[in-house]
Amino acid sequence: MTISAVRIDGRLIHGQVANLWTTKLGVTRIMVIDDKVAASDIEKSGLKLARPAGIDLSVLSEKVAADHIKRGGYDSQKVFIVVKRPQVLLDLVNDGVKLETINVGNMSQTDETTQITNSINVVQDDVDAFKALHEKGIKITQQMVPGDQANDFMAILKKFDTKK
């Protein structure tokens, strides 16, 4: 399997992912990895409606996704992995999935989060997961749309102290 890109985006599949990123990357499959979404028929139905025509979609739990990736279940495809939070990716890496680069897109604001850019809001667990991924040698960038410059996410993250 060719993992064409990995993106953290709390919205999962939406206009930017469906239209801009899939076209730019030339992917054949979007793989949404999220335990709660994978267990919800309603959420899965919504994602199926949002996916672009001609692009396959898998909505999988973390464990199933890791197993499929490691056994080569999508070897003939160009896969775009989308998750909501960095911990999902850290769990995948710790389970033996190899990732080279992660793109941080949108992480929505809640009462518990700290805003670090206009579109990225984190809690301390997110910061810890990003640091662990970075320590494993994974490049982490911030880029909303393909036409934007890809910025070093760890440099952005260093500017903020979420342990207040």
Side-chain angles (χ1 to χ4, degrees), residues 14-32:
H14 56 90
Q16 290 173 354
V17 167
N19 298 315
L20 300 176
W21 284 106
T22 57
T23 301
K24 172 72 174 174
L25 298 167
V27 299
T28 58
R29 176 177 299 277
I30 298 172
M31 180 185 291
V32 171

Side-chain angles (χ1 to χ4, degrees), residues 76 97 133 140 160:
S76 64
V97 173
L133 288 161
I140 306 173
F160 298 89

Side-chain angles (χ1 to χ4, degrees), residues 8 17 40-41 50 58 102 113 117 158:
I8 298 171
V17 167
S40 169
D41 290 337
S58 297
I102 296 167
T113 59
T117 73
K158 285 179 187 175

Side-chain angles (χ1 to χ4, degrees), residues 116-142:
I116 61 171
T117 73
N118 286 340
S119 60
I120 300 172
N121 300 273
V122 297
V123 295
Q124 188 60 47
D125 287 345
D126 296 327
V127 173
D128 295 343
F130 280 125
K131 288 178 179 177
L133 288 161
H134 179 71
E135 288 169 4
K136 292 179 179 291
I138 298 169
K139 180 180 177 183
I140 306 173
T141 63
Q142 178 275 322

